[in-house]
Amino acid sequence: MAVTEAQNPLLGENTCGSLLKKLQQIWDEVGESDEQRDQMLLQLEQECLDVYKRKVMQAAKSRAELLQALSDANVELSSLLSALGEKNFAGIVPENTAGTIKEQLAAIEPILEQLWQQKEERIKEFSDVQSQIQKICGEIAGNLSLIDALPEVDESDLSLKKLNEYQSELQQLQKEKSERLHKVLEFVSTVHDLCAVLGLDFFSTITEVHPSLNDSTGVQSKSISNETLARLVKTVLTLKEDKKQRLHKLQELSSQLIDLWNLMDTHPEERKLFDHVTCYISASVDDVTVTGALALDLIEQAEVEVDRLDQLKASRMKEIAFKKQTELEEIFARAHIEVDTEASRAKIMALIDSGNIEPTELLADMDNQIENAKEEALSRKDILDKVEKWMSACEEESWLEDYNRDENRYNASRGAHLNLKRAEKARILVNKIPALVDTLVAKTRAWEEDHGMSFTYDGVPLLAMLDEYAMLRHEREEEKRRMRDQKKYNELQNTEQEPVFGSRPSSARPVSAKKLASPRTNGGTNGTPNRRLSINAHQNGSKSTLKEGKKENVRAAAPVNYVTMSKEDAASHVSGIEPILASP
């Protein structure tokens, strides 16, 4: 539609009509021909068409650009919605999309701005979460480059689902970090305790594992990497093994100290100086928690003391060995086992002087001898107890014989009633002697069968002693019978002489058994055994002063005939002679 001059007030006086009118006036004045005028008008029309074409083309181009902008906005909107995980466009994109292009662009631009802002916030959230994840992963891996590097956020997927996945992963890593940190602190505490017990420098030990583990750094700054944990485990195991070995070494030294102290009778005050060493002799590894309890200087101190005592023991070896030999001889003496003490002591002296045997081996051998002697003494105890009962009964038998010979035994003298009671008990005890001897013989033979050797009492075979006692008892009974017969014969002779010479007191009194008997020496001729059985004319002449001193205190109760009998003669009785026991 053409625009008239009246319809375009903005042009004022310079309208196409007015300009054309002025142009005709000018042509009229100039006198332009109609042909020239038509040509110029055609030219003006062509120029106007060109201007219109340009304007239409510009308008079309602008429209195309707006359409492209609208299309790009829609694509961007779809991309943002997809990245943010908004699958449902309802409530985001306006439902009324009718209107001009500019109206549509104007409607979508606020939505795009809102989504861009939301995307920036979402990217920041993703970056924060991924940074924490990457940092913790770097701490676990021990990779510093991962800790300091910025994470790359995938902007194609910024959905809440993906963000929740990252957050869940972060929570798991934070939990793992907490657990690792707890383990690290436990290991550090264990290393501290072990270093304290072992007397080691905790700071240098723990910083060798990782510099961040010392006390000067914060808890959250400590390394929790796999390498740090592995090195901590290795350090703890090494320290525990070192603690175990040191404790074992200390217990060995404690045992050696106690043995040496007992061996040399060390004063208790001197032993107290090493109570901090010996107090762990039976402790377990976990029981040792005192600071410095297993320090190297303490172990070295114990080693020095053991070396000192070893040297002292070597210088006192003779004294210690003779002390053990004395103990061995006392065991043999109590068990009435005869040993050659002089030869044993000479052998010990020779071994020590030769240096061919270690002192500990010699003492261990002597300890074994003492144990064997104790076992042998224990096996002999039952028989020795019965021998003591037999000898006690023989003493009572000897006393009863003396008592029966005493013609004044019934006088009302002081103490007569006590002797009478003793005589009654002695008769009961004497009557038990045959059974006691039989039991003793049976037990002795059983012992000899079990041990394959003769049972000796102070060097004399016990069976020979019992056989000799049985023969002497039989001879004594025969002597009593002869004395009774002699007494009856004398009484008969005196009765026959009385009618011839008259009744008068006989000057020939019966010879008492006391006078007929030979002088009693440690028991007499009544067949009572002597307690000093070790005295024998055919034995080695000299005994140790210790042994003789002990045997002097033993009560006397053995027959003289037996005591003077040689060991070879006594041994001949063991061949099978049964004891001949007369009735009491």
Side-chain angles (χ1 to χ4, degrees):
M1 184 173 59
V3 179
T4 63
E5 184 177 350
Q7 291 175 339
N8 192 357
L10 295 177
L11 296 176
E13 293 180 357
N14 296 323
T15 61
C16 290
S18 63
L19 290 175
L20 182 61
K21 187 175 180 180
K22 286 183 178 181
L23 183 59
Q24 288 177 352
Q25 291 175 359
I26 292 172
W27 282 343
D28 291 336
E29 291 178 359
V30 173
E32 289 287 342
S33 61
D34 292 336
E35 184 177 340
Q36 287 290 335
R37 292 182 180 187
D38 292 337
Q39 185 177 356
M40 292 179 68
L41 287 174
L42 288 173
Q43 185 178 356
L44 285 173
E45 288 179 0
Q46 186 62 42
E47 290 178 357
C48 287
L49 287 175
D50 292 339
V51 170
Y52 276 111
K53 286 182 180 178
R54 287 199 303 272
K55 292 298 183 181
V56 170
M57 291 178 63
Q58 289 178 357
K61 182 178 180 181
S62 177
R63 184 186 64 181
E65 289 177 352
L66 289 175
L67 288 174
Q68 184 63 39
L70 180 61
S71 176
D72 292 342
N74 288 324
V75 171
E76 184 177 358
L77 177 63
S78 300
S79 176
L80 288 173
L81 292 174
S82 175
L84 294 173
E86 300 292 343
K87 295 181 179 180
N88 187 7
F89 296 168
I92 299 175
V93 180
E95 296 179 358
N96 186 13
T97 58
T100 63
I101 299 174
K102 289 184 176 181
E103 289 176 349
Q104 293 180 23
L105 281 173
I108 203 171
E109 282 179 355
I111 299 173
L112 288 175
E113 291 179 359
Q114 180 181 355
L115 292 177
W116 269 111
Q117 184 179 0
Q118 186 176 353
K119 180 180 180 181
E120 293 296 329
E121 293 176 355
R122 191 70 60 83
I123 289 175
K124 184 178 179 181
E125 291 178 1
F126 271 83
S127 179
D128 292 341
V129 173
Q130 288 181 255
S131 295
Q132 297 181 54
I133 292 174
Q134 188 168 297
K135 181 179 179 181
I136 296 176
C137 290
E139 291 176 353
I140 294 175
N143 191 347
L144 296 178
S145 61
L146 290 177
I147 297 176
D148 299 332
L150 294 175
E152 294 182 0
V153 180
D154 182 11
E155 298 184 5
S156 63
D157 189 358
L158 298 175
S159 63
L160 290 176
K161 178 181 179 182
K162 189 67 174 180
L163 181 61
N164 291 333
E165 291 178 0
Y166 278 123
Q167 289 175 344
S168 298
E169 182 181 355
L170 177 60
Q171 291 177 357
Q172 292 295 328
L173 289 173
Q174 287 174 340
K175 181 179 179 182
E176 183 179 354
K177 178 180 178 179
S178 177
E179 292 175 352
R180 283 171 171 264
L181 185 59
H182 183 67
K183 287 182 180 180
V184 167
L185 294 177
E186 282 185 348
F187 282 130
V188 170
S189 177
T190 303
V191 171
H192 180 273
D193 295 341
L194 290 172
C195 287
V197 173
L198 297 174
L200 301 176
D201 184 10
F202 167 71
F203 180 80
S204 61
T205 302
I206 203 65
T207 50
E208 286 180 1
V209 178
H210 197 276
S212 67
L213 299 180
N214 61 69
D215 295 334
S216 61
T217 59
V219 175
Q220 297 298 327
S221 301
K222 296 188 183 298
S223 174
I224 59 171
S225 65
N226 294 328
E227 182 181 1
T228 300
L229 283 172
R231 296 182 69 179
L232 278 173
V233 171
K234 183 179 179 180
T235 302
V236 169
L237 292 176
T238 302
L239 292 175
K240 285 185 176 180
E241 183 64 24
D242 193 11
K243 180 181 179 182
K244 181 179 179 182
Q245 292 177 358
R246 290 194 189 185
L247 178 60
H248 181 67
K249 178 67 175 178
L250 193 67
Q251 288 176 341
E252 287 182 346
L253 293 172
S254 300
S255 179
Q256 294 175 18
L257 282 174
I258 292 174
D259 292 341
L260 290 169
W261 287 338
N262 295 335
L263 193 62
M264 295 184 288
D265 293 330
T266 305
H267 195 273
E269 292 297 329
E270 187 176 348
R271 299 187 183 194
K272 286 183 179 180
L273 298 176
F274 290 89
D275 282 347
H276 58 289
V277 176
T278 57
C279 64
Y280 297 113
I281 190 169
S282 59
S284 63
V285 176
D286 296 332
D287 294 336
V288 183
T289 57
V290 178
T291 301
L294 299 178
L296 284 177
D297 55 349
L298 186 144
I299 296 177
E300 291 174 358
Q301 179 185 0
E303 288 177 342
V304 170
E305 180 65 12
V306 169
D307 292 339
R308 185 185 72 84
L309 292 176
D310 277 334
Q311 295 175 2
L312 182 62
K313 181 187 71 174
S315 63
R316 295 180 56 189
M317 182 49 57
K318 293 181 181 179
E319 177 186 347
I320 298 170
F322 287 151
K323 180 180 177 181
K324 289 187 175 292
Q325 179 64 23
T326 301
E327 181 182 357
L328 182 63
E329 291 171 1
E330 289 177 353
I331 296 173
F332 283 139
R334 288 193 297 268
H336 295 276
I337 300 173
E338 189 180 49
V339 292
D340 191 347
T341 58
E342 292 184 358
S344 298
R345 290 174 180 267
K347 182 179 179 182
I348 292 173
M349 287 286 293
L351 286 173
I352 295 175
D353 293 338
S354 66
N356 295 330
I357 186 172
E358 288 290 332
T360 54
E361 294 180 5
L362 176 61
L363 296 179
D365 181 65
M366 296 191 72
D367 288 336
N368 290 333
Q369 292 182 36
I370 290 173
E371 291 298 323
N372 294 334
K374 288 180 179 179
E375 291 178 1
E376 185 175 357
L378 184 62
S379 69
R380 295 165 60 92
K381 186 178 184 301
D382 188 24
I383 296 177
L384 291 176
D385 290 342
K386 290 192 175 350
V387 169
E388 289 294 322
K389 291 181 181 179
W390 170 53
M391 289 186 174
S392 297
C394 290
E395 284 183 357
E396 291 301 304
E397 185 181 27
S398 176
W399 179 88
L400 185 60
E401 289 292 334
D402 292 340
Y403 178 76
N404 289 335
R405 293 191 189 99
D406 188 4
E407 295 178 354
N408 298 322
R409 62 182 180 274
Y410 297 117
N411 292 343
S413 61
R414 184 178 182 181
H417 66 289
L418 297 177
N419 289 334
L420 183 60
K421 289 183 179 179
R422 180 178 177 182
E424 292 176 357
K425 293 181 180 179
R427 290 188 185 94
I428 296 173
L429 188 58
V430 168
N431 290 334
K432 295 180 179 179
I433 289 179
L436 181 60
V437 171
D438 290 342
T439 303
L440 194 53
V441 169
K443 285 186 174 291
T444 303
R445 286 179 176 171
W447 187 94
E448 291 181 348
E449 289 178 1
D450 291 339
H451 293 77
M453 59 186 295
S454 176
F455 188 99
T456 59
Y457 189 93
D458 289 335
V460 181
L462 181 58
L463 289 177
M465 292 170 57
L466 296 171
D467 291 343
E468 181 68 13
Y469 172 76
M471 288 188 294
L472 293 175
R473 186 181 178 90
H474 178 70
E475 292 175 0
R476 185 187 63 184
E477 295 298 331
E478 291 293 331
E479 181 65 22
K480 285 182 180 181
R481 188 161 43 251
R482 286 196 299 270
M483 291 175 64
R484 285 196 298 269
D485 292 343
Q486 182 65 33
K487 183 177 180 181
K488 288 180 182 180
Y489 176 75
N490 291 337
E491 289 176 353
L492 181 60
Q493 289 294 327
N494 292 335
T495 304
E496 289 177 353
Q497 291 177 4
E498 280 182 359
V500 180
F501 299 105
S503 298
R504 60 182 177 84
S506 175
S507 60
R509 295 177 62 187
V511 182
S512 67
K514 200 172 200 179
K515 291 181 180 180
L516 288 175
S518 61
R520 295 170 54 83
T521 305
N522 293 332
T525 60
N526 58 356
T528 308
N530 190 340
R531 286 271 177 145
R532 297 183 61 191
L533 295 172
S534 61
I535 303 175
N536 191 310
H538 297 279
Q539 291 180 354
N540 294 330
S542 61
K543 296 290 182 179
S544 65
T545 305
L546 173 65
K547 190 170 182 180
E548 288 207 0
K550 290 184 179 179
K551 292 180 180 177
E552 288 294 337
N553 296 326
V554 183
R555 295 172 295 175
V560 174
N561 293 339
Y562 172 70
V563 171
T564 59
M565 181 179 62
S566 66
K567 291 182 182 178
E568 290 78 6
D569 296 336
S572 65
H573 293 283
V574 187
S575 59
I577 301 176
E578 295 291 339
I580 305 173
L581 302 177
S583 60

